[in-house]
Amino acid sequence: MVFVTGIFIWILFGGVRSEVADRTMCPEMCECEGHVLRCNRMVLNESIPDNISEVHLITFSSSSKIKMSSLFPYWSNVIKLDITLSGLKFFLHFEENSLSHLKQLQYLGIHGIGPAKYVIQDNVLHPGCFSGLDNVKTLNLSGNSHLNISEVIKIFTEVNTLPSLETIDLSELQLLTNKPIYKKEFSALVSVLRSKSIKTIIMDYTHVEFPVADFGKLCQTLEKFRLRKTTVTAVYKFKHVTCESLKVLDLSGAAIVPIDTFIRSRILTSDRWFVDIFNKYFSFICSVETVYYDGILPSEPLPLSFDNGVVYNATGINWRVKYMYFRRNFMENFNVSFKNMPLIPGSEFDVSFNNIYYIHPKSLDPGHYIRKINLAHNRLHEMERKHPLDFEIFLHTFTDLEDINLAYNQISKLPPDMFSKNTKLKEINVVGNQLKTLSIKTNLIPNLQYLGAVDNNLEILVLKEISQVHQRPFGEADLTNGAILIINITGNELKCTCEDTRVIEWIRDSPIVRGGKCVYEDEKLDIKQNAFEKITDYCKKKKFQQSLIIGVCISITLFYLTAICIALAVRYKKKQTKIVELLRQLKTDDEHFLAFVSYCSEDTDFVMSHFVNQLNEEICISTKVRSDHICIGDRYFRPGFPVITEIMTKMEKSAVIIFVISLEFCNKPWCHIEIKEAYELQKPIILIFREEVDLQDMPKLVEKLFHQNTRCKFERDIDGAWRLQPSFHVLASSVIELAAINNKTDTPKNLVV
C-alpha cells in the first residue's frame, strides 16, 4: 500500500514539475497552445519550447528600428513563421542570413513593414536575408503597403534565394507610394521568378500594369494567379497568348478599366470573324480551367446585356474553362446562343447575384457537358411571367445537368416539364422563391437526391402528388441508385385541413421530407412533431360538433316545417271555411255581390264587351253558383236615388272593388271620388289597366296603390284580340279569396291584386 502511494505521489509530482517546466519555457506575454506559439512582442532571440512548429508574432514595440541578425538556434523546429508589425514608425531590419537557422521553415510571412522614408533610406529586406531558407515554399509579403516591388526583386536576384518557393503573396504592395507596379517592374519580377517552380502568385489589392506575354514565361509551372480587388491600369500584348499550366485565374473585384467597352466591342459583334476575334483577344482568360470573374463589370453607364438574339457558331474557339464564376456583374439579358461550344465534361457555371431576367433557350447548344449551373439571386421571375414557354425549356439543352440552383428568383411557378430533359439531376434548389406548388415530376428524375424548397409559400396539397409517387411502402422513397430523395420544406407554413391528414401523416413519417410547419386554426404546428395528432384530435371534435350542429339544425328545421305545415293547414281550412260561408251567403242573399266594378263612361263598351261577362262566368265556374256576382251601375242602381248614395250602397254590399283604369278614368273628377270612397271603406281594391298610363297622369291615390300592390292589365295578342294578364281564372280566384278573407267579422284590408 505504501509502495502504490509513493508511485502515485511521484507521478503527480512529476506531472506538475513538467507542466511548470513547459510554462517556464513559453516566453513572457506569449501563449503556447500545442505546437503553436502566439506573442504580442518580438521574441526572435529567445528560447521557445521544442515542440513549437508554428509561430505568430504581432509586435507593438516603441523602438523605431530593430535589427535582426540571427535567431536562437533552438528555433530550427519552426515550420511556419508569421510576423506582423504594428505601428507606422516601426520596422524590422532583416540582415543577411538573419533567418538562416530556420532550416525547417516552409512558410514565412512578413507584414506591416514601416513607412516609406525608412524603407527607402535603409533597406529593411537585405538581399541576402532569406539565405539558407531552402525549404520555404510560401513567402507571404502581403500588407506591406510601403514596401516597393523593387525591394522584392532585389531579394530574388541573389543566387539560390528560396529555391523551393512555390507560392508568393504580394498583396497590398507599395499602395501608399502612389504609383503602380509598372510594366517594366512586372516583367523584372517575372524574370527573377522564372527560375523557380512558382505555382501560385497572389497580388490582391495592388495597382499593376500587366504585360501578358512576359507573364506567359511563368507558364511552365504556374497554376494559380490571383488579382482580387486589383486595379489593372493597362494590359499589354495579350493577343493569342495562352498559359498551358495555369489552372486558376482569379480576377474577382478587379478594376480592369477598359474591360466592359472591350467586351461589348470585341465579343458579341455579328460579323463572321467571331471565332478569330475571340481567339485573338480572349485566349489567355479562356484557356484556364477555373476562372473567377466576380464583380469585374460596373453597373454604369449601362449594365451588361446581350440582346441581339444572334446564334454564333463557336466551332474552333480556344476554350478550356471548366469552372466559370461570373457573379455580381450586373448582367441582365443573355439573349444570344453559342452553337457547338467546345465545353469540358463536368463543367460548372455560376452566374448568381446578377440581374438576369432572360436566358436564350439554347444559350449553349449543345450543353450536355455542363454538370452544374448556379442562377441564384437573379430576376428569372420576369422570364417566367413574360416568356413562359422559353422559361419552361431553357434548361432542356443541359441533358447532363446534375445540380441546378434557382434560389431567390421570386419564381411563383415551376412548369411541369421544366426538368423533363434533365434526367441526371441530383439536386434542385428553389429556396427563397414564391412557389405555392412543386410541379416537379420526381418519378421522371430517377437520380434526384435533394429538392430544396426552403422559405417558399408551399401549400399542403402540392405534396400529395409526391406522397403518391414515393410511398412503397408508405413513407419510403428509395431511388434507382439506392440513394434516398430528401425534400426540404423548412420555412414553409402549410395550410392544413382535415382533408389532408393522410398527407400530414406521410410527411411526419417519411424519411424524405425535412422540416415543415402546419397552420391550422391560426395555430402553428410542427409537422414532424405533434401536428398530425393535434389536427386529428381537432378534426374529430370538429366533426362531432358539425354532426351535433347538423342534427340540431335538422331537428329545428323539421320542427319549424311541421309548425309551418300545421299553420298552413289551419289557415287553408279557415280559408275554405270562409269561402264556404261566402258561397252560402251568395245563395241566400241577392243584395250582396262579390265585386263592384267602377269605370268611366268612355270605357263602357269595352268593359261590357271584354270584362264583366267574362269575369262573372269564371266566378260562376269557380263557385259553382250560377248568378250575377258582379255589380255595375247600369244594371243595379235604383232609379231616382242620388248617384253617390247608390255608389256607396253598392260598394258597401260588395266584397271587392274593381277599378278599370284608363287615361279618361284618370281625368274624371267623379272617378277620383269613387276611388277615395272605396279606399275609405277599407275594401280590397283591384286595379285593372285598360291601357298604359304614365305615373304623372294618375291620381295620387291610384299612384300609391300602383306602387304598393300588384294589378292586372289588358294586352292585345298577335291576333289583335284583348287578353287579360293574368288570366280571368286567376282574377276570379283572387276576388273569391279576398272576399272570403274580408267577409263579416274579419278586419278589412286594402289588399290589391
Side-chain angles (χ1 to χ4, degrees):
M1 183 67 181
V2 174
F3 175 74
V4 175
T5 304
I7 292 177
F8 175 76
I9 294 174
W10 180 81
I11 293 174
L12 178 62
F13 176 75
V16 172
R17 184 177 64 178
S18 177
E19 183 179 352
V20 172
D22 288 344
R23 289 179 179 176
T24 302
M25 292 184 67
C26 191
E28 186 180 356
M29 296 179 62
C30 297
E31 293 181 0
C32 295
E33 184 177 351
H35 68 283
V36 180
L37 170 67
R38 301 181 188 277
C39 295
N40 289 330
R41 67 183 184 87
M42 200 58 60
V43 294
L44 292 173
N45 295 315
E46 300 180 30
S47 61
I48 60 175
D50 293 339
N51 66 322
I52 295 297
S53 61
E54 183 175 332
V55 179
H56 297 268
L57 303 179
I58 301 177
T59 178
F60 301 89
S61 176
S62 59
S63 174
S64 62
K65 181 176 180 180
I66 297 177
K67 288 188 177 182
M68 189 171 61
S69 58
S70 63
L71 295 176
F72 197 81
Y74 294 112
W75 278 53
S76 58
N77 292 331
V78 175
I79 296 176
K80 180 175 181 178
L81 174 61
D82 197 81
I83 303 173
T84 301
L85 311 175
S86 180
L88 292 177
K89 295 182 179 180
F90 172 61
F91 65 94
L92 282 175
H93 184 84
F94 292 89
E95 296 181 343
E96 187 175 0
N97 297 317
S98 59
L99 302 173
S100 59
H101 289 293
L102 301 175
K103 298 298 184 181
Q104 304 300 320
L105 196 65
Q106 297 180 18
Y107 176 99
L108 175 60
I110 302 173
H111 320 284
I113 290 179
K117 62 180 182 179
Y118 294 108
V119 175
I120 295 172
Q121 293 173 2
D122 192 359
N123 294 333
V124 296
L125 297 178
H126 190 278
C129 65
F130 296 149
S131 297
L133 301 180
D134 296 342
N135 293 311
V136 170
K137 294 183 178 181
T138 301
L139 177 62
N140 189 342
L141 296 177
S142 63
N144 296 308
S145 56
H146 295 305
L147 182 62
N148 288 331
I149 189 66
S150 59
E151 296 298 310
V152 179
I153 295 172
K154 287 179 182 179
I155 295 171
F156 288 102
T157 56
E158 293 290 319
V159 180
N160 294 326
T161 300
L162 303 178
S164 300
L165 189 65
E166 295 179 353
T167 300
I168 183 169
D169 190 340
L170 301 176
S171 300
E172 301 180 71
L173 209 67
Q174 72 175 44
L175 280 182
L176 298 185
T177 60
N178 200 26
K179 61 179 181 179
I181 298 174
Y182 293 115
K183 170 189 174 184
K184 182 178 180 181
E185 294 171 325
F186 198 102
S187 298
L189 178 65
V190 170
S191 296
V192 297
L193 295 177
R194 187 177 181 182
S195 62
K196 307 182 185 303
S197 300
I198 297 295
K199 293 183 178 180
T200 301
I201 297 178
I202 301 174
M203 299 184 70
D204 299 344
Y205 294 95
T206 57
H207 301 300
V208 298
E209 292 183 348
F210 186 38
V212 181
D214 291 343
F215 177 79
K217 297 175 183 178
L218 297 175
C219 288
Q220 297 298 319
T221 59
L222 189 64
E223 296 179 357
K224 182 176 181 180
F225 185 39
R226 201 174 84 184
L227 291 168
R228 290 183 181 177
K229 299 291 184 179
T230 294
T231 301
V232 181
T233 58
V235 180
Y236 300 97
K237 298 180 180 179
F238 61 98
K239 299 178 182 178
H240 296 290
V241 177
T242 59
C243 193
E244 296 298 329
S245 64
L246 193 61
K247 295 182 179 179
V248 178
L249 176 61
D250 192 344
L251 295 173
S252 299
I256 307 174
V257 178
I259 191 168
D260 56 335
T261 304
F262 184 82
I263 288 177
R264 296 174 194 277
S265 62
R266 296 294 197 283
I267 297 184
L268 298 180
T269 56
S270 58
D271 59 47
R272 58 192 179 91
W273 306 109
F274 165 70
V275 175
D276 291 337
I277 291 174
F278 191 96
N279 290 339
K280 181 177 180 180
Y281 293 102
F282 294 91
S283 293
F284 177 73
I285 62 175
C286 292
S287 63
V288 183
E289 183 181 67
T290 302
V291 290
Y292 293 88
Y293 300 144
D294 300 337
I296 64 171
L297 298 179
S299 61
E300 297 178 352
L302 291 173
L304 186 63
S305 184
F306 306 128
D307 51 11
N308 57 20
V310 176
V311 177
Y312 298 95
N313 190 339
T315 303
I317 281 184
N318 294 329
W319 182 271
R320 290 177 53 212
V321 178
K322 184 174 182 179
Y323 307 104
M324 165 77 81
Y325 297 89
F326 196 75
R327 299 168 291 202
R328 303 183 188 277
N329 281 299
F330 304 99
M331 183 168 63
E332 293 185 343
N333 192 353
F334 198 77
N335 185 22
V336 289
S337 175
F338 296 95
K339 187 177 181 180
N340 300 323
M341 194 73 178
L343 297 172
I344 309 298
S347 295
E348 299 181 7
F349 285 82
D350 189 339
V351 288
S352 58
F353 292 94
N354 281 281
N355 291 316
I356 300 173
Y357 60 80
Y358 183 81
I359 299 175
H360 195 286
K362 293 187 177 181
S363 54
L364 297 174
D365 183 24
H368 56 271
Y369 282 149
I370 296 181
R371 190 195 73 85
K372 180 178 180 179
I373 299 177
N374 188 348
L375 284 162
H377 294 276
N378 280 286
R379 293 158 48 195
L380 291 179
H381 68 283
E382 296 186 25
M383 185 177 180
E384 172 217 345
R385 294 163 193 172
K386 296 179 181 179
H387 308 281
L389 296 180
D390 289 350
F391 181 72
E392 183 172 5
I393 66 172
F394 86 99
L395 294 174
H396 284 189
T397 58
F398 309 113
T399 54
D400 285 352
L401 193 64
E402 296 180 8
D403 189 333
I404 179 65
N405 190 340
L406 298 172
Y408 301 100
N409 272 280
Q410 302 182 50
I411 299 170
S412 58
K413 185 178 180 181
L414 295 175
D417 293 327
M418 187 172 190
F419 306 112
S420 61
K421 305 296 183 181
N422 312 117
T423 56
K424 296 182 181 180
L425 270 174
K426 294 181 180 179
E427 181 171 339
I428 299 175
N429 188 342
V430 288
V431 170
N433 285 289
Q434 300 175 1
L435 298 174
K436 291 185 178 180
T437 63
L438 286 177
S439 304
I440 300 174
K441 299 177 180 179
T442 55
N443 57 320
L444 301 180
I445 313 176
N447 297 298
L448 188 63
Q449 297 177 16
Y450 182 81
L451 173 57
V454 175
D455 295 334
N456 277 276
N457 301 321
L458 295 181
E459 297 177 352
I460 190 70
L461 294 177
V462 72
L463 297 175
K464 284 187 176 180
E465 291 184 9
I466 298 177
S467 68
Q468 292 168 1
V469 172
H470 301 291
Q471 50 181 1
R472 44 176 215 278
F474 188 73
E476 296 183 0
D478 293 335
L479 304 181
T480 56
N481 59 0
I484 294 181
L485 169 64
I486 300 299
I487 302 175
N488 194 340
I489 60 172
T490 303
N492 289 278
E493 293 185 357
L494 309 175
K495 294 181 180 179
C496 299
T497 64
C498 291
E499 290 75 23
D500 303 319
T501 54
R502 180 65 172 167
V503 182
I504 298 170
E505 184 181 22
W506 175 78
I507 296 173
R508 182 197 66 182
D509 299 336
S510 174
I512 79 171
V513 180
R514 299 288 186 271
K517 297 289 184 180
C518 182
V519 179
Y520 183 83
E521 300 290 342
D522 297 328
E523 182 179 358
K524 294 182 181 180
L525 305 173
D526 190 330
I527 298 181
K528 287 294 185 179
Q529 298 296 326
N530 57 354
F532 176 74
E533 289 74 12
K534 283 196 172 184
I535 293 175
T536 302
D537 185 53
Y538 290 155
C539 292
K540 288 180 179 178
K541 292 180 179 178
K542 187 175 181 179
K543 187 175 182 180
F544 174 77
Q545 292 174 352
Q546 290 176 344
S547 300
L548 182 61
I549 292 172
I550 291 173
V552 171
C553 290
I554 292 175
S555 300
I556 294 174
T557 302
L558 290 175
F559 173 79
Y560 277 106
L561 287 175
T562 303
I564 291 171
C565 290
I566 293 173
L568 290 175
V570 171
R571 180 180 176 184
Y572 178 77
K573 187 174 181 180
K574 287 183 178 180
K575 177 180 174 182
Q576 292 301 114
T577 302
K578 290 181 178 180
I579 291 175
V580 171
E581 178 61 24
L582 176 64
L583 294 177
R584 188 188 62 78
Q585 292 180 6
L586 291 176
K587 292 180 180 179
T588 59
D589 191 349
D590 293 335
E591 295 296 325
H592 287 82
F593 299 92
L594 272 178
F596 176 81
V597 178
S598 175
Y599 51 91
C600 66
S601 58
E602 288 80 1
D603 295 327
T604 300
D605 292 341
F606 179 84
V607 171
M608 299 303 297
S609 300
H610 302 290
F611 181 68
V612 173
N613 294 332
Q614 291 85 335
L615 177 59
N616 190 76
E617 179 64 22
E618 195 64 44
I619 292 174
C620 291
I621 294 173
S622 298
T623 60
K624 297 180 181 180
V625 177
R626 180 61 59 179
S627 176
D628 289 337
H629 301 290
I630 307 299
C631 176
I632 56 176
D634 293 345
R635 293 181 182 176
Y636 298 104
F637 284 178
R638 293 175 299 172
F641 288 88
V643 175
I644 188 62
T645 301
E646 287 301 294
I647 290 174
M648 291 299 297
T649 300
K650 299 306 178 187
M651 282 186 179
E652 288 179 356
K653 292 185 177 183
S654 300
V656 178
I657 311 299
I658 299 175
F659 289 98
V660 179
I661 307 297
S662 64
L663 186 60
E664 289 80 2
F665 181 93
C666 294
N667 292 329
K668 293 292 184 69
W670 188 257
C671 295
H672 297 187
I673 294 173
E674 290 187 33
I675 286 279
K676 181 180 179 182
E677 292 297 335
Y679 193 80
E680 290 178 350
L681 286 173
Q682 296 186 344
K683 295 279 188 177
I685 298 174
I686 298 176
L687 301 180
I688 308 293
F689 281 85
R690 178 191 170 186
E691 59 187 355
E692 293 289 337
V693 180
D694 292 337
L695 292 175
Q696 61 267 23
D697 295 330
M698 297 180 187
K700 291 184 179 181
L701 190 54
V702 173
E703 182 181 356
K704 179 179 179 181
L705 294 173
F706 179 86
H707 289 298
Q708 182 176 342
N709 303 295
T710 57
R711 57 262 173 202
C712 295
K713 65 177 180 179
F714 278 97
E715 295 178 343
R716 287 188 181 273
D717 57 22
I718 57 176
D719 297 327
W722 290 103
R723 179 171 57 85
L724 185 65
Q725 183 65 29
S727 65
F728 280 103
H729 175 74
V730 175
L731 178 60
S733 298
S734 297
V735 170
I736 296 170
E737 187 171 343
L738 289 173
I741 293 174
N742 292 274
N743 188 32
K744 289 189 176 181
T745 59
D746 293 281
T747 302
K749 299 178 182 178
N750 288 320
L751 297 177
V752 181
V753 178

